[in-house]
Amino acid sequence: MSQEISLAPLDESRTSLPRIRVIRPPSFSLLGLWSSLRELWKYRDLLYTLTAHRIKVRYKQSVLGVAWAVLQPLSLMLIYTLVFAVVARIPTGGTPYPVIAFTGLLVWSLFSTALTSSTSGLVSHSHLVTKVYFPREILPLTYVFAAVFDFLIAIVVLAGIMIYYHVAPTTNIILALPIVCILICFVTAMSLVFSATQVRFRDVGVAMPLLLQLWMFASPVVYPLSAVPERFRSLYSLNPMVGIVDGFRTAVVGGAVPELRTFAVSAVISILLLPAAYLYFKHVEATIADVI
Amino acid sequence: MSDLIFDHVSKRYRIRHEVEAHATRHPLIRKWMNLWTRPEDFWAVRDVSFAVEKGEAVGIIGHNGAGKSTILKLLSNITTPTSGQITIKGRLAALIEVGSGFHPELSGRENIYLNGSILGMSRAEITEKLDSIIDFAGVRQFIDTPVKRFSSGMYVRLGFSIAAHLHPDILLLDEVLAVGDAAFQAKCLDRITELKEAGTTIVFISHDLRAVERLCQRVLLLKRGQIVMSGSAKDVVAAYKSDATLSSESVEVHKKGETKEVEIRALSFRDEAGELKPIFQTGEPLVARVDYEVHQPVKDAVFGILFFTADGQQHCELTTELSDDEISLSPGKASIEFRTPELGLLPGVYFTSVHVQERNARDVIHYQYKSTTLRVDFDRVVRGNFFLPHEWSIRQVRDGQESEKEVVGSNR
């Protein structure tokens, strides 16, 4: 053989896997959650590589490439502007409707793309799931991160639109950061739940477009929160996406502090949901290769 | 020190039986009811315990459905055990279906990163080994083209090359060696042997008994999810082969369009005198007799006996097809005898199939599969794949004169 491969013992510090691994029947505890997180951390390189490839592949063979990340919310904005601002003339309280719509759609597309793609994510990678071990949550997570990437690109467009309509942000824009964190938290939780359920019940994937359509109109995406009658508000705000979408819009476009009560509902639900969703995912993961 | 411990491991699968069609009419109701039927338990692996020492190469063999692939999946953590505990010390890499983690749109280089990280390598580690991986696979020229443009050979080579650079402490091998061309297969085997010599623990799960015998010191024999035998490769493989005789059943396969003008009644193996003989030895004369009954005349018939190895490979055949002499059959009972002066088959159990057909006809007249097995026993040690009858002689040169050649021995 002409090739020489050095067989020197591997440097322990570089070994990315644990020295001793014990595989037991699945059991569930908060301690298990901790060790799952540690395992995930060890596979962070895979998470990074897969996310990068996810983004690359998405735009590789399309002519417009990354421009799609901009075109999608932009064209939706135009459609909704036509419907709500020109035809239905919805009151927006001074802010130009296109800005209202674009901020809403920006947040919403992060949520809906991540959820749609990650729901089918495990099943579409069944060839990997049945052949190689890695923490399975990496698959839905990569879709979430790829959607966050698109979101960041669309933020640039939002800046352009705000300049065009002379909407100036205030220092309150900094509040958008924790709101986006809560959004990512919530979408991750939902992605974990739906992708794991999809493995056994493919109905989830089929129902997803309808669910998202309903959910979008139940959130202040293409209309401002002020358009919702006062007496329905508290019930309406139980939808975590309400606090997130409205909060983001208020902080970025409105230049004000978002209403704390509405946002707190979203934050509490998201933060409680994430570990529960992760536990559920890990529970399903144990038998994923057997049923997929 | 054991690198790998299977401690009373069991794996249960639940099989749901469909509610019978007549039970209810509507498919939706039937589906709903299916959700509530009690699933049936199937134990793919039952209370299996074994330990593999550091640097040891262990083979796992068994029939289809014996639990081999379940053990593989448990070891590689693809699925979890129902009970029991598996302890793995060190980095484990599974060489199962190489290249299954490739993305066709991405370049070879990008796929090395993708596949490498799926197999558990860090990015820094991959960058360091990138050149070596590319060279081992021999795809440097194409490394920046999307792998969908790769030939299947290149695909496999790249896949194996990535896995071969893992430096695992424990290597899991499936039937992967069955892929690629002969030259690359040899390269793979060299690499595996290198890893083995460097102290890598190897678990080899295969149907390929010869490869198992070559690579492993110790072999476990699985049967219905349990280990029924464990010992030296030679002993266990031999036991497995002889076990194949016991479990072989006569299976008659009716091929489509079969017209029973001739019926094969029996296949028997006899000695030169025509006496039935249960066990043969390599190098002995063998007579294979096919008894048949002709119902309608056949003008130009062809008889053939095929021998299969225990793992189902066609091994050799006895046939009248190669001769142009016509065999015409007229109604009545008859038999045909094939003679071989020296049996070239090595010790083992061979399955047979017998067929009779009209020359150049599309369908066989009668075909019998696995009706009789031929058992060849150990007599002398023969290396290689078959026994070649031979003799030898020595010519001595004395005072510039060559002496008469003198036969000093033969292997008959």
Side-chain angles (χ1 to χ4, degrees):
Chain A
M1 224 193 317
S2 57
Q3 258 27 260
E4 282 280 322
I5 300 166
S6 78
L7 286 169
L10 200 68
D11 179 7
E12 282 305 318
S13 60
R14 279 209 339 266
T15 312
S16 52
L17 293 183
R19 274 301 293 173
I20 296 183
R21 180 207 293 277
V22 177
I23 305 170
R24 288 197 191 92
S27 62
F28 311 103
S29 62
L30 288 173
L31 202 71
L33 201 63
W34 174 242
S35 64
S36 302
L37 278 174
R38 276 184 31 189
E39 177 93 344
L40 179 62
W41 177 246
K42 274 167 199 136
Y43 274 90
R44 63 190 181 277
D45 273 359
L46 175 60
L47 183 57
Y48 169 79
T49 312
L50 263 179
T51 308
H53 288 309
R54 187 86 61 229
I55 293 163
K56 263 188 229 169
V57 168
R58 179 124 48 105
Y59 301 117
K60 197 129 197 169
Q61 273 213 331
S62 59
V63 180
L64 293 176
V66 185
W68 277 114
V70 175
L71 272 173
Q72 231 153 356
L74 208 60
S75 49
L76 281 177
M77 179 196 82
L78 290 175
I79 294 167
Y80 286 115
T81 304
L82 203 69
V83 174
F84 286 99
V86 182
V87 181
R89 292 178 186 282
I90 201 165
T92 58
T95 321
Y97 180 80
V99 183
I100 298 274
F102 194 80
T103 41
L105 287 165
L106 192 70
V107 175
W108 185 257
S109 25
L110 165 58
F111 181 73
S112 71
T113 1
L115 202 53
T116 312
S117 48
S118 61
T119 296
S120 57
L122 279 180
V123 175
S124 63
H125 284 81
S126 55
H127 61 286
L128 272 187
V129 169
T130 53
K131 293 289 186 303
V132 200
Y133 170 78
F134 53 87
R136 310 304 187 195
E137 61 269 29
I138 282 179
L139 289 173
L141 283 181
T142 54
Y143 288 107
V144 171
F145 290 144
V148 170
F149 174 82
D150 285 354
F151 176 80
L152 293 178
I153 289 175
I155 286 274
V156 179
V157 183
L158 175 65
I161 291 175
M162 282 170 69
I163 291 168
Y164 180 82
Y165 283 101
H166 303 289
V167 178
T170 65
T171 46
N172 281 329
I173 197 167
I174 198 82
L175 292 172
L177 216 61
I179 294 171
V180 171
C181 288
I182 291 298
L183 168 64
I184 292 171
C185 194
F186 183 62
V187 73
T188 305
M190 296 308 286
S191 297
L192 287 174
V193 170
F194 281 111
S195 59
T197 312
Q198 163 85 345
V199 171
R200 203 181 278 269
F201 303 102
R202 301 288 147 95
D203 314 56
V204 175
V206 185
M208 192 50 74
L210 178 66
L211 177 75
L212 282 172
Q213 195 82 41
L214 291 174
W215 202 335
M216 187 178 104
F217 286 108
S219 316
V221 174
V222 291
Y223 53 86
L225 183 61
S226 56
V228 179
E230 201 69 58
R231 56 202 164 101
F232 296 131
R233 282 279 170 85
S234 50
L235 181 70
Y236 179 77
S237 303
L238 283 179
N239 168 10
M241 285 308 283
V242 171
I244 291 168
V245 175
D246 180 67
F248 183 80
R249 187 182 286 140
T250 312
V252 175
V253 182
V257 179
E259 194 191 322
L260 189 68
R261 221 174 52 111
T262 322
F263 178 66
V265 172
S266 311
V268 168
I269 291 180
S270 306
I271 289 168
L272 288 181
L273 200 60
L274 187 58
Y278 195 39
L279 268 179
Y280 168 72
F281 187 90
K282 280 302 190 187
H283 165 74
V284 174
E285 185 194 44
T287 53
I288 247 174
D290 304 337
V291 292
I292 203 162
Chain B
M1 191 188 79
S2 297
D3 246 12
L4 202 157
I5 304 161
F6 246 61
D7 187 13
H8 298 282
V9 173
S10 298
K11 172 73 186 176
R12 177 187 55 200
Y13 285 102
R14 296 217 139 126
I15 303 166
R16 266 175 214 283
H17 293 285
E18 294 272 309
V19 169
E20 280 179 44
H22 66 256
T24 174
R25 274 177 213 95
H26 200 276
L28 211 61
I29 299 170
R30 211 151 66 219
K31 270 208 159 165
W32 184 250
M33 287 178 71
N34 273 334
L35 288 177
W36 304 109
T37 51
R38 270 186 78 84
E40 196 174 294
D41 288 352
F42 167 72
W43 293 88
V45 170
R46 194 167 224 165
D47 199 23
V48 167
S49 297
F50 65 87
V52 181
E53 300 303 311
K54 176 136 199 61
E56 199 185 10
V58 168
I60 298 179
I61 59 174
H63 291 288
N64 286 330
K68 294 195 301 289
S69 32
T70 306
I71 287 191
L72 196 79
K73 280 187 174 169
L74 287 168
L75 275 177
S76 46
N77 202 5
I78 289 166
T79 186
T80 46
T82 310
S83 67
Q85 180 174 314
I86 304 162
T87 311
I88 298 163
K89 287 177 189 156
R91 170 135 99 166
L92 180 140
L95 242 184
I96 316 161
E97 229 173 276
V98 286
S100 57
F102 280 176
H103 196 293
E105 294 290 342
L106 298 172
S107 74
R109 191 189 304 274
E110 288 167 317
N111 267 302
I112 292 177
Y113 278 98
L114 183 62
N115 215 304
S117 27
I118 287 171
L119 293 174
M121 280 196 253
S122 69
R123 288 184 71 81
E125 208 181 331
I126 299 167
T127 308
E128 193 182 310
K129 291 172 182 164
L130 193 64
D131 283 324
S132 180
I133 292 175
I134 297 170
D135 288 334
F136 187 84
V139 292
R140 184 163 287 283
Q141 235 185 308
F142 310 97
I143 200 62
D144 288 312
T145 32
V147 292
K148 65 178 174 186
R149 311 221 186 283
F150 275 33
S151 74
S152 55
M154 284 155 68
Y155 217 81
V156 169
R157 291 207 303 270
L158 188 60
F160 181 84
S161 180
I162 297 166
H165 283 76
L166 269 173
H167 293 306
D169 301 306
I170 305 166
L171 183 66
L172 282 187
L173 287 171
D174 201 355
E175 312 276 3
V176 278
L177 300 178
V179 292
D181 53 64
F184 189 71
Q185 267 185 38
K187 206 169 159 183
C188 294
L189 260 182
D190 280 353
R191 176 72 183 136
I192 290 165
T193 315
E194 257 177 73
L195 283 170
K196 189 176 150 189
E197 276 159 12
T200 307
T201 308
I202 292 176
V203 178
F204 186 26
I205 295 177
S206 181
H207 277 114
D208 187 349
L209 299 176
R210 209 164 298 152
V212 168
E213 248 180 314
R214 188 161 52 178
L215 201 65
C216 307
Q217 294 111 26
R218 196 155 63 92
V219 173
L220 310 174
L221 176 58
L222 275 185
K223 203 172 176 184
R224 285 186 212 101
Q226 286 175 311
I227 295 178
V228 290
M229 193 181 174
S230 161
S232 78
K234 209 175 120 184
D235 292 349
V236 178
V237 168
Y240 174 66
K241 282 178 175 169
S242 60
D243 184 58
T245 359
L246 300 172
S247 66
S248 79
E249 294 148 15
S250 171
V251 184
E252 192 166 318
V253 182
H254 287 274
K255 289 219 166 168
K256 220 182 135 193
E258 205 171 43
T259 54
K260 289 272 186 77
E261 289 134 320
V262 185
E263 246 181 298
I264 293 161
R265 293 285 185 216
L267 165 67
S268 51
F269 297 108
R270 292 151 193 271
D271 63 10
E272 276 174 305
E275 292 299 312
L276 278 168
K277 199 174 158 157
I279 299 167
F280 288 81
Q281 272 159 9
T282 306
E284 274 190 334
L286 173 129
V287 175
R289 180 169 145 180
V290 178
D291 293 294
Y292 58 91
E293 190 173 349
V294 182
H295 300 298
Q296 278 157 45
V298 176
K299 219 181 137 239
D300 188 3
V302 170
F303 285 92
I305 302 171
L306 264 169
F307 292 87
F308 301 87
T309 54
D311 50 343
Q313 305 279 332
Q314 275 190 17
H315 205 57
C316 62
E317 69 170 346
L318 301 170
T319 178
T320 64
E321 197 177 356
L322 303 174
S323 150
D324 286 332
D325 298 333
E326 276 183 24
I327 301 171
S328 54
L329 305 175
S330 42
K333 284 183 185 173
S335 69
I336 176 170
E337 279 185 359
F338 292 87
R339 279 168 226 277
T340 169
E342 279 166 86
L343 185 61
L345 295 172
L346 294 195
V349 170
Y350 299 90
F351 299 124
T352 57
S353 75
V354 195
H355 64 268
V356 57
Q357 85 184 101
E358 206 168 341
R359 194 184 293 271
N360 298 330
R362 236 188 50 207
D363 300 315
V364 291
I365 299 171
H366 195 189
Y367 177 85
Q368 254 193 341
Y369 181 60
K370 279 191 178 176
S371 56
T372 314
T373 45
L374 172 66
R375 185 159 166 193
V376 182
D377 248 12
F378 289 91
D379 167 29
R380 52 193 139 187
V381 179
V382 184
R383 278 183 289 262
N385 291 334
F386 59 92
F387 169 70
L388 208 56
H390 52 288
E391 55 182 41
W392 54 93
S393 61
I394 294 172
R395 232 179 256 266
Q396 195 90 43
V397 182
R398 270 197 206 104
D399 314 322
Q401 284 266 310
E402 238 178 69
S403 74
E404 282 283 296
K405 103 177 153 175
E406 188 188 343
V407 178
V408 286
S410 87
N411 228 340
R412 291 166 184 244

